[in-house]
Structures are given as C-alpha cells and as structure tokens.
Amino acid sequence: MEAIKKLDGEFSFKKLEIAANGARMFAHIEGKREIDIGGKDTVRPTLILINSMDGSTRFGFKVGAFRLVCSNGMIAGMAMMNILIRHTSGVDFEAILNSGHKALENLEKVSIPRWRRMKDTPVKPEYAIKLLQNKKLGIPDRLNNRILELTKETDMITLWALYNHYTYHLTHEYRGSEERRLFISSAVERVLGNL
C-alpha cells in the first residue's frame, strides 16, 4: 500500500478477494482519472495484483486499463506491463510498482492511440478468430467458438468491438484461475492489437 500511494494519481481498491484462509489474494486497484478513447468510450488506469502464500499462483502484477462503458470489466494493455514471478523470498514490490508507474506513463503515449485505431479498424471476424485459434496462444476453443457464434451474422466488425466480445466473456463467463484469465486476455490483446 505504501508503494501504491507513491504512484501519480488517486487509486483505490475496486475489488479485493482473499481465499483459502488467507493463502491467496486477488486485488483490482483502479485509478480515478478517466481517459477518453473516442465515441464516448472511456478507460481508467488499473493495477491487478495476484499472490499466494500456498504457492498455488505466482506473484502477478498487471498494469492496464478498465473500460467504463458496458461495465464489462475490460482489462486492456497492449503496450503496458504484465509480470509473473515465481515465489521467492526477495520480491521487491516497490521496484515492481516503479516499473508500473512507467507503464502508466505509456498509457497515453502508446496504448490510447492504439485503442483509438482499433475503434476505426474493420476486420472480418472469421479472419481474426482464425488467428486466435493458434494452439500456442492457449485460448480455449470454447471461447473462440462462442465468439465465432456471436459474430457469424456480421460480415465486418471493428477490432475494438471484437476485443470487447472476448473480454466480456473472460470477465463474465470464464471460471478458471485469475492467472489463467490474465494470460488469455494478454494473448487476445497481442493478436488483435497487431492486426
């Protein structure tokens, strides 16, 4: 908490979950500043922290943005930061948060222009989903099939809208671990952000 207080801007806990008698933790820490990406669509700087005392998950720290429209829990972070560290006795939280501060600075310089471009970039859903079906990405077939089903009547869609379809299902319907959800989300970001 002391390190988080040193970040620029005001941040507060949106969600804090403790499980397994205190052995596992998930925290969603959100900034108060809203950033417009166009079309009345806004995002908010976000920090996601996961950790465990029982070794069931690695220490994880992700810097991204929370999408405010549709309240779908979208975590976006194409040019941001995602750290997973296996458990050791020497995790330097302050150094990690300092790196997170630099990633937050890149939000407006790199990520926001990219998201604005995605809002204006049409793509055939079948083409993009085919790229996401690469087994090396680790995206579950049922998720790709669900998105394909939702977009089968659509000839063209924007990259942003397609990304939101994936993120909605990852935040509302996915029942796996938070670490796995973040991994899948990052894979979707990587592919769609580079089309």
Side-chain angles (χ1 to χ4, degrees), residues 40-67:
K40 297 183 181 178
D41 207 349
T42 57
V43 295
R44 206 174 260 171
T46 303
L47 311 173
I48 302 290
L49 294 161
I50 55 174
N51 200 7
S52 70
M53 296 295 290
D54 61 3
S56 60
T57 63
R58 295 178 281 180
F59 169 77
F61 179 72
K62 181 169 180 137
V63 175
F66 184 80
R67 184 169 184 254

PDB file of all heavy atoms in Angstrom, residues 40-67:
ATOM      1  N   LYS A  40     -17.389   8.415 -26.911  1.00  0.00           N
ATOM      2  CA  LYS A  40     -17.899   8.340 -25.533  1.00  0.00           C
ATOM      3  C   LYS A  40     -17.460   7.059 -24.824  1.00  0.00           C
ATOM      4  O   LYS A  40     -18.121   6.583 -23.913  1.00  0.00           O
ATOM      5  CB  LYS A  40     -19.422   8.464 -25.509  1.00  0.00           C
ATOM      6  CG  LYS A  40     -19.925   9.783 -26.032  1.00  0.00           C
ATOM      7  CD  LYS A  40     -21.414   9.871 -25.927  1.00  0.00           C
ATOM      8  CE  LYS A  40     -21.894  11.205 -26.496  1.00  0.00           C
ATOM      9  NZ  LYS A  40     -23.339  11.329 -26.466  1.00  0.00           N
ATOM     10  N   ASP A  41     -16.362   6.492 -25.246  1.00  0.00           N
ATOM     11  CA  ASP A  41     -15.806   5.285 -24.636  1.00  0.00           C
ATOM     12  C   ASP A  41     -14.605   5.710 -23.796  1.00  0.00           C
ATOM     13  O   ASP A  41     -13.697   6.371 -24.304  1.00  0.00           O
ATOM     14  CB  ASP A  41     -15.371   4.319 -25.738  1.00  0.00           C
ATOM     15  CG  ASP A  41     -15.405   2.876 -25.300  1.00  0.00           C
ATOM     16  OD1 ASP A  41     -15.560   2.615 -24.094  1.00  0.00           O
ATOM     17  OD2 ASP A  41     -15.269   1.999 -26.167  1.00  0.00           O
ATOM     18  N   THR A  42     -14.605   5.377 -22.525  1.00  0.00           N
ATOM     19  CA  THR A  42     -13.513   5.792 -21.648  1.00  0.00           C
ATOM     20  C   THR A  42     -12.901   4.594 -20.938  1.00  0.00           C
ATOM     21  O   THR A  42     -13.527   3.551 -20.769  1.00  0.00           O
ATOM     22  CB  THR A  42     -14.005   6.803 -20.591  1.00  0.00           C
ATOM     23  OG1 THR A  42     -15.070   6.219 -19.849  1.00  0.00           O
ATOM     24  CG2 THR A  42     -14.475   8.090 -21.229  1.00  0.00           C
ATOM     25  N   VAL A  43     -11.637   4.755 -20.547  1.00  0.00           N
ATOM     26  CA  VAL A  43     -10.923   3.744 -19.766  1.00  0.00           C
ATOM     27  C   VAL A  43     -10.333   4.415 -18.537  1.00  0.00           C
ATOM     28  O   VAL A  43     -10.188   5.637 -18.488  1.00  0.00           O
ATOM     29  CB  VAL A  43      -9.815   3.036 -20.580  1.00  0.00           C
ATOM     30  CG1 VAL A  43     -10.395   2.238 -21.731  1.00  0.00           C
ATOM     31  CG2 VAL A  43      -8.778   4.026 -21.077  1.00  0.00           C
ATOM     32  N   ARG A  44      -9.988   3.605 -17.577  1.00  0.00           N
ATOM     33  CA  ARG A  44      -9.406   4.093 -16.325  1.00  0.00           C
ATOM     34  C   ARG A  44      -8.142   3.271 -16.042  1.00  0.00           C
ATOM     35  O   ARG A  44      -8.168   2.046 -16.137  1.00  0.00           O
ATOM     36  CB  ARG A  44     -10.427   3.863 -15.219  1.00  0.00           C
ATOM     37  CG  ARG A  44     -10.287   4.792 -14.063  1.00  0.00           C
ATOM     38  CD  ARG A  44     -11.426   4.575 -13.100  1.00  0.00           C
ATOM     39  NE  ARG A  44     -12.422   5.611 -13.305  1.00  0.00           N
ATOM     40  CZ  ARG A  44     -13.593   5.609 -12.749  1.00  0.00           C
ATOM     41  NH1 ARG A  44     -13.978   4.635 -11.979  1.00  0.00           N
ATOM     42  NH2 ARG A  44     -14.422   6.600 -12.952  1.00  0.00           N
ATOM     43  N   PRO A  45      -7.004   3.919 -15.681  1.00  0.00           N
ATOM     44  CA  PRO A  45      -5.793   3.162 -15.326  1.00  0.00           C
ATOM     45  C   PRO A  45      -6.091   2.146 -14.213  1.00  0.00           C
ATOM     46  O   PRO A  45      -6.826   2.442 -13.275  1.00  0.00           O
ATOM     47  CB  PRO A  45      -4.830   4.243 -14.841  1.00  0.00           C
ATOM     48  CG  PRO A  45      -5.307   5.490 -15.487  1.00  0.00           C
ATOM     49  CD  PRO A  45      -6.807   5.367 -15.574  1.00  0.00           C
ATOM     50  N   THR A  46      -5.527   0.950 -14.357  1.00  0.00           N
ATOM     51  CA  THR A  46      -5.843  -0.150 -13.442  1.00  0.00           C
ATOM     52  C   THR A  46      -4.598  -0.965 -13.119  1.00  0.00           C
ATOM     53  O   THR A  46      -3.738  -1.175 -13.969  1.00  0.00           O
ATOM     54  CB  THR A  46      -6.884  -1.088 -14.096  1.00  0.00           C
ATOM     55  OG1 THR A  46      -8.032  -0.331 -14.429  1.00  0.00           O
ATOM     56  CG2 THR A  46      -7.277  -2.227 -13.192  1.00  0.00           C
ATOM     57  N   LEU A  47      -4.517  -1.423 -11.891  1.00  0.00           N
ATOM     58  CA  LEU A  47      -3.471  -2.345 -11.460  1.00  0.00           C
ATOM     59  C   LEU A  47      -4.160  -3.631 -10.998  1.00  0.00           C
ATOM     60  O   LEU A  47      -5.134  -3.574 -10.254  1.00  0.00           O
ATOM     61  CB  LEU A  47      -2.678  -1.768 -10.288  1.00  0.00           C
ATOM     62  CG  LEU A  47      -2.164  -0.337 -10.421  1.00  0.00           C
ATOM     63  CD1 LEU A  47      -1.548   0.122  -9.098  1.00  0.00           C
ATOM     64  CD2 LEU A  47      -1.152  -0.245 -11.538  1.00  0.00           C
ATOM     65  N   ILE A  48      -3.653  -4.767 -11.441  1.00  0.00           N
ATOM     66  CA  ILE A  48      -4.160  -6.064 -10.994  1.00  0.00           C
ATOM     67  C   ILE A  48      -3.015  -6.770 -10.273  1.00  0.00           C
ATOM     68  O   ILE A  48      -1.921  -6.907 -10.819  1.00  0.00           O
ATOM     69  CB  ILE A  48      -4.622  -6.937 -12.185  1.00  0.00           C
ATOM     70  CG1 ILE A  48      -5.705  -6.229 -12.988  1.00  0.00           C
ATOM     71  CG2 ILE A  48      -5.082  -8.312 -11.717  1.00  0.00           C
ATOM     72  CD1 ILE A  48      -7.034  -6.111 -12.305  1.00  0.00           C
ATOM     73  N   LEU A  49      -3.266  -7.210  -9.061  1.00  0.00           N
ATOM     74  CA  LEU A  49      -2.262  -7.940  -8.278  1.00  0.00           C
ATOM     75  C   LEU A  49      -2.813  -9.301  -7.890  1.00  0.00           C
ATOM     76  O   LEU A  49      -3.956  -9.402  -7.429  1.00  0.00           O
ATOM     77  CB  LEU A  49      -1.925  -7.176  -6.992  1.00  0.00           C
ATOM     78  CG  LEU A  49      -1.231  -5.836  -7.169  1.00  0.00           C
ATOM     79  CD1 LEU A  49      -1.383  -4.996  -5.919  1.00  0.00           C
ATOM     80  CD2 LEU A  49       0.234  -6.044  -7.467  1.00  0.00           C
ATOM     81  N   ILE A  50      -2.011 -10.357  -8.093  1.00  0.00           N
ATOM     82  CA  ILE A  50      -2.374 -11.683  -7.596  1.00  0.00           C
ATOM     83  C   ILE A  50      -1.173 -12.232  -6.840  1.00  0.00           C
ATOM     84  O   ILE A  50      -0.023 -11.953  -7.174  1.00  0.00           O
ATOM     85  CB  ILE A  50      -2.788 -12.656  -8.727  1.00  0.00           C
ATOM     86  CG1 ILE A  50      -1.709 -12.777  -9.812  1.00  0.00           C
ATOM     87  CG2 ILE A  50      -4.103 -12.245  -9.343  1.00  0.00           C
ATOM     88  CD1 ILE A  50      -2.010 -13.826 -10.859  1.00  0.00           C
ATOM     89  N   ASN A  51      -1.446 -12.988  -5.798  1.00  0.00           N
ATOM     90  CA  ASN A  51      -0.361 -13.553  -4.997  1.00  0.00           C
ATOM     91  C   ASN A  51      -0.910 -14.719  -4.192  1.00  0.00           C
ATOM     92  O   ASN A  51      -2.114 -14.855  -4.012  1.00  0.00           O
ATOM     93  CB  ASN A  51       0.229 -12.490  -4.063  1.00  0.00           C
ATOM     94  CG  ASN A  51       1.616 -12.843  -3.592  1.00  0.00           C
ATOM     95  OD1 ASN A  51       2.206 -13.814  -4.048  1.00  0.00           O
ATOM     96  ND2 ASN A  51       2.144 -12.071  -2.668  1.00  0.00           N
ATOM     97  N   SER A  52      -0.025 -15.567  -3.731  1.00  0.00           N
ATOM     98  CA  SER A  52      -0.456 -16.657  -2.854  1.00  0.00           C
ATOM     99  C   SER A  52       0.648 -16.989  -1.871  1.00  0.00           C
ATOM    100  O   SER A  52       1.833 -16.838  -2.164  1.00  0.00           O
ATOM    101  CB  SER A  52      -0.813 -17.898  -3.680  1.00  0.00           C
ATOM    102  OG  SER A  52       0.343 -18.475  -4.238  1.00  0.00           O
ATOM    103  N   MET A  53       0.240 -17.435  -0.716  1.00  0.00           N
ATOM    104  CA  MET A  53       1.175 -17.915   0.301  1.00  0.00           C
ATOM    105  C   MET A  53       1.369 -19.420   0.196  1.00  0.00           C
ATOM    106  O   MET A  53       2.328 -19.970   0.712  1.00  0.00           O
ATOM    107  CB  MET A  53       0.655 -17.570   1.706  1.00  0.00           C
ATOM    108  CG  MET A  53       0.568 -16.076   1.976  1.00  0.00           C
ATOM    109  SD  MET A  53       2.168 -15.254   1.978  1.00  0.00           S
ATOM    110  CE  MET A  53       2.868 -15.905   3.475  1.00  0.00           C
ATOM    111  N   ASP A  54       0.415 -20.108  -0.476  1.00  0.00           N
ATOM    112  CA  ASP A  54       0.486 -21.568  -0.578  1.00  0.00           C
ATOM    113  C   ASP A  54       1.148 -22.037  -1.875  1.00  0.00           C
ATOM    114  O   ASP A  54       1.203 -23.230  -2.151  1.00  0.00           O
ATOM    115  CB  ASP A  54      -0.910 -22.182  -0.437  1.00  0.00           C
ATOM    116  CG  ASP A  54      -1.875 -21.726  -1.529  1.00  0.00           C
ATOM    117  OD1 ASP A  54      -1.453 -20.968  -2.432  1.00  0.00           O
ATOM    118  OD2 ASP A  54      -3.047 -22.134  -1.472  1.00  0.00           O
ATOM    119  N   GLY A  55       1.642 -21.106  -2.698  1.00  0.00           N
ATOM    120  CA  GLY A  55       2.330 -21.471  -3.936  1.00  0.00           C
ATOM    121  C   GLY A  55       1.395 -21.873  -5.068  1.00  0.00           C
ATOM    122  O   GLY A  55       1.841 -22.319  -6.116  1.00  0.00           O
ATOM    123  N   SER A  56       0.079 -21.698  -4.896  1.00  0.00           N
ATOM    124  CA  SER A  56      -0.873 -22.108  -5.932  1.00  0.00           C
ATOM    125  C   SER A  56      -0.854 -21.174  -7.143  1.00  0.00           C
ATOM    126  O   SER A  56      -1.219 -21.567  -8.239  1.00  0.00           O
ATOM    127  CB  SER A  56      -2.284 -22.190  -5.354  1.00  0.00           C
ATOM    128  OG  SER A  56      -2.683 -20.933  -4.851  1.00  0.00           O
ATOM    129  N   THR A  57      -0.439 -19.921  -6.946  1.00  0.00           N
ATOM    130  CA  THR A  57      -0.258 -18.996  -8.067  1.00  0.00           C
ATOM    131  C   THR A  57       1.050 -18.244  -7.865  1.00  0.00           C
ATOM    132  O   THR A  57       1.539 -18.106  -6.750  1.00  0.00           O
ATOM    133  CB  THR A  57      -1.399 -17.949  -8.153  1.00  0.00           C
ATOM    134  OG1 THR A  57      -1.380 -17.139  -6.983  1.00  0.00           O
ATOM    135  CG2 THR A  57      -2.752 -18.595  -8.318  1.00  0.00           C
ATOM    136  N   ARG A  58       1.585 -17.769  -8.973  1.00  0.00           N
ATOM    137  CA  ARG A  58       2.770 -16.924  -8.892  1.00  0.00           C
ATOM    138  C   ARG A  58       2.344 -15.516  -8.489  1.00  0.00           C
ATOM    139  O   ARG A  58       1.174 -15.173  -8.573  1.00  0.00           O
ATOM    140  CB  ARG A  58       3.454 -16.869 -10.254  1.00  0.00           C
ATOM    141  CG  ARG A  58       4.006 -18.218 -10.682  1.00  0.00           C
ATOM    142  CD  ARG A  58       4.624 -18.141 -12.046  1.00  0.00           C
ATOM    143  NE  ARG A  58       3.571 -18.163 -13.061  1.00  0.00           N
ATOM    144  CZ  ARG A  58       3.795 -18.104 -14.366  1.00  0.00           C
ATOM    145  NH1 ARG A  58       5.018 -17.998 -14.821  1.00  0.00           N
ATOM    146  NH2 ARG A  58       2.800 -18.121 -15.212  1.00  0.00           N
ATOM    147  N   PHE A  59       3.308 -14.719  -8.065  1.00  0.00           N
ATOM    148  CA  PHE A  59       3.015 -13.307  -7.848  1.00  0.00           C
ATOM    149  C   PHE A  59       2.802 -12.691  -9.219  1.00  0.00           C
ATOM    150  O   PHE A  59       3.618 -12.856 -10.124  1.00  0.00           O
ATOM    151  CB  PHE A  59       4.182 -12.607  -7.138  1.00  0.00           C
ATOM    152  CG  PHE A  59       4.031 -11.108  -7.129  1.00  0.00           C
ATOM    153  CD1 PHE A  59       3.158 -10.506  -6.251  1.00  0.00           C
ATOM    154  CD2 PHE A  59       4.734 -10.316  -8.025  1.00  0.00           C
ATOM    155  CE1 PHE A  59       2.981  -9.124  -6.251  1.00  0.00           C
ATOM    156  CE2 PHE A  59       4.572  -8.948  -8.035  1.00  0.00           C
ATOM    157  CZ  PHE A  59       3.699  -8.351  -7.146  1.00  0.00           C
ATOM    158  N   GLY A  60       1.690 -12.001  -9.400  1.00  0.00           N
ATOM    159  CA  GLY A  60       1.387 -11.387 -10.680  1.00  0.00           C
ATOM    160  C   GLY A  60       1.039  -9.927 -10.518  1.00  0.00           C
ATOM    161  O   GLY A  60       0.370  -9.531  -9.564  1.00  0.00           O
ATOM    162  N   PHE A  61       1.514  -9.125 -11.459  1.00  0.00           N
ATOM    163  CA  PHE A  61       1.246  -7.689 -11.444  1.00  0.00           C
ATOM    164  C   PHE A  61       0.987  -7.272 -12.873  1.00  0.00           C
ATOM    165  O   PHE A  61       1.826  -7.484 -13.747  1.00  0.00           O
ATOM    166  CB  PHE A  61       2.446  -6.946 -10.873  1.00  0.00           C
ATOM    167  CG  PHE A  61       2.269  -5.454 -10.837  1.00  0.00           C
ATOM    168  CD1 PHE A  61       1.412  -4.863  -9.927  1.00  0.00           C
ATOM    169  CD2 PHE A  61       2.972  -4.641 -11.702  1.00  0.00           C
ATOM    170  CE1 PHE A  61       1.244  -3.490  -9.882  1.00  0.00           C
ATOM    171  CE2 PHE A  61       2.820  -3.260 -11.666  1.00  0.00           C
ATOM    172  CZ  PHE A  61       1.955  -2.687 -10.749  1.00  0.00           C
ATOM    173  N   LYS A  62      -0.183  -6.723 -13.132  1.00  0.00           N
ATOM    174  CA  LYS A  62      -0.524  -6.279 -14.479  1.00  0.00           C
ATOM    175  C   LYS A  62      -0.985  -4.839 -14.419  1.00  0.00           C
ATOM    176  O   LYS A  62      -1.775  -4.469 -13.550  1.00  0.00           O
ATOM    177  CB  LYS A  62      -1.633  -7.152 -15.060  1.00  0.00           C
ATOM    178  CG  LYS A  62      -2.009  -6.738 -16.472  1.00  0.00           C
ATOM    179  CD  LYS A  62      -2.908  -7.760 -17.122  1.00  0.00           C
ATOM    180  CE  LYS A  62      -3.241  -7.302 -18.528  1.00  0.00           C
ATOM    181  NZ  LYS A  62      -3.180  -8.338 -19.500  1.00  0.00           N
ATOM    182  N   VAL A  63      -0.482  -4.035 -15.337  1.00  0.00           N
ATOM    183  CA  VAL A  63      -0.917  -2.654 -15.483  1.00  0.00           C
ATOM    184  C   VAL A  63      -1.742  -2.598 -16.755  1.00  0.00           C
ATOM    185  O   VAL A  63      -1.327  -3.079 -17.796  1.00  0.00           O
ATOM    186  CB  VAL A  63       0.283  -1.690 -15.601  1.00  0.00           C
ATOM    187  CG1 VAL A  63      -0.201  -0.277 -15.879  1.00  0.00           C
ATOM    188  CG2 VAL A  63       1.123  -1.738 -14.343  1.00  0.00           C
ATOM    189  N   GLY A  64      -2.928  -2.050 -16.650  1.00  0.00           N
ATOM    190  CA  GLY A  64      -3.782  -1.952 -17.814  1.00  0.00           C
ATOM    191  C   GLY A  64      -4.773  -0.830 -17.648  1.00  0.00           C
ATOM    192  O   GLY A  64      -4.485   0.168 -17.012  1.00  0.00           O
ATOM    193  N   ALA A  65      -5.951  -1.023 -18.226  1.00  0.00           N
ATOM    194  CA  ALA A  65      -6.988  -0.008 -18.124  1.00  0.00           C
ATOM    195  C   ALA A  65      -8.334  -0.699 -18.025  1.00  0.00           C
ATOM    196  O   ALA A  65      -8.553  -1.731 -18.639  1.00  0.00           O
ATOM    197  CB  ALA A  65      -6.952   0.922 -19.334  1.00  0.00           C
ATOM    198  N   PHE A  66      -9.201  -0.118 -17.231  1.00  0.00           N
ATOM    199  CA  PHE A  66     -10.537  -0.658 -17.030  1.00  0.00           C
ATOM    200  C   PHE A  66     -11.496   0.115 -17.901  1.00  0.00           C
ATOM    201  O   PHE A  66     -11.565   1.341 -17.825  1.00  0.00           O
ATOM    202  CB  PHE A  66     -10.930  -0.510 -15.553  1.00  0.00           C
ATOM    203  CG  PHE A  66     -12.249  -1.116 -15.201  1.00  0.00           C
ATOM    204  CD1 PHE A  66     -12.366  -2.472 -14.985  1.00  0.00           C
ATOM    205  CD2 PHE A  66     -13.371  -0.320 -15.076  1.00  0.00           C
ATOM    206  CE1 PHE A  66     -13.586  -3.028 -14.645  1.00  0.00           C
ATOM    207  CE2 PHE A  66     -14.599  -0.859 -14.733  1.00  0.00           C
ATOM    208  CZ  PHE A  66     -14.709  -2.220 -14.519  1.00  0.00           C
ATOM    209  N   ARG A  67     -12.242  -0.592 -18.743  1.00  0.00           N
ATOM    210  CA  ARG A  67     -13.182   0.059 -19.648  1.00  0.00           C
ATOM    211  C   ARG A  67     -14.451   0.379 -18.899  1.00  0.00           C
ATOM    212  O   ARG A  67     -15.033  -0.473 -18.242  1.00  0.00           O
ATOM    213  CB  ARG A  67     -13.497  -0.863 -20.822  1.00  0.00           C
ATOM    214  CG  ARG A  67     -14.387  -0.226 -21.860  1.00  0.00           C
ATOM    215  CD  ARG A  67     -14.426  -1.098 -23.106  1.00  0.00           C
ATOM    216  NE  ARG A  67     -15.206  -0.455 -24.140  1.00  0.00           N
ATOM    217  CZ  ARG A  67     -16.426  -0.838 -24.490  1.00  0.00           C
ATOM    218  NH1 ARG A  67     -17.000  -1.841 -23.889  1.00  0.00           N
ATOM    219  NH2 ARG A  67     -17.052  -0.205 -25.452  1.00  0.00           N
TER     220      ARG A  67
END
